[in-house]
Amino acid sequence: GFETYSQATVNGATGDEPTCWNRPYPREAIAAVPQICKGPAYASSGNFALMLKSQCVYAMPELKIDNISVSDLQMELYVKQPYAKNQLEVGVLENLNGDASFTPVATINNDGTGITQQFIDFSSYTGTGKIIAFRNSNSDGSTDYAYNFIDDINIFIANSQNDCGITMLPHNEGFET
């Protein structure tokens, strides 16, 4: 997960923002800045997870895949949503010039049931973008208490098992250096 990042406070009020991730322009107010949150209650492994709050859009580093379309990819991640109204859209950005180019491919709403493993299939995506992003929101349209905690993101090519039956992972979230 996000174990190599730190956090300034125990309750997640302020913390590091992963420098290799991006917020589309125009950037949201500081209150909507995604940050690393400490606590095993938020992370699927270890003690740190990425907290998204308010109605932010947050993008992973652009995928460097020349001969593969994003529609050939799948994602595994773990999500905690503290409130039943929390939802997380997973999609693709064409560019970082604002969230207007965000195309959602899946919406996660686990009704505040704790940390759940999620699988996202990008096969419905027909664009050319290579930036996987997350849009944080609430199912009722409000911005109050819009929280999602994500951890242990793995991206892989759909049906990409080698002859040993091992799934090939060309990119994973760990970002540990």
Side-chain angles (χ1 to χ4, degrees), residues 48 67 90 95 103 142:
F48 294 88
N67 299 317
V90 181
N95 58 61
T103 303
S142 71

Side-chain angles (χ1 to χ4, degrees), residues 56-130:
C56 68
V57 174
Y58 207 41
M60 294 177 66
E62 183 173 357
L63 297 172
K64 304 299 183 193
I65 49 175
D66 294 327
N67 299 317
I68 302 168
S69 169
V70 169
S71 64
D72 295 326
L73 300 177
Q74 293 180 339
M75 174 188 282
E76 171 194 36
L77 73 157
Y78 290 82
V79 178
K80 177 178 174 96
Q81 297 172 319
Y83 304 101
K85 67 180 181 178
N86 296 149
Q87 66 183 22
L88 179 68
E89 291 177 290
V90 181
V92 183
L93 283 168
E94 295 288 328
N95 58 61
L96 293 172
N97 295 326
D99 66 353
S101 73
F102 181 82
T103 303
V105 297
T107 300
I108 299 168
N109 183 308
N110 67 13
D111 295 326
T113 57
I115 299 169
T116 60
Q117 183 181 29
Q118 302 287 328
F119 292 95
I120 308 300
D121 182 352
F122 290 90
S123 63
S124 65
Y125 179 68
T126 59
T128 59
K130 294 188 187 259

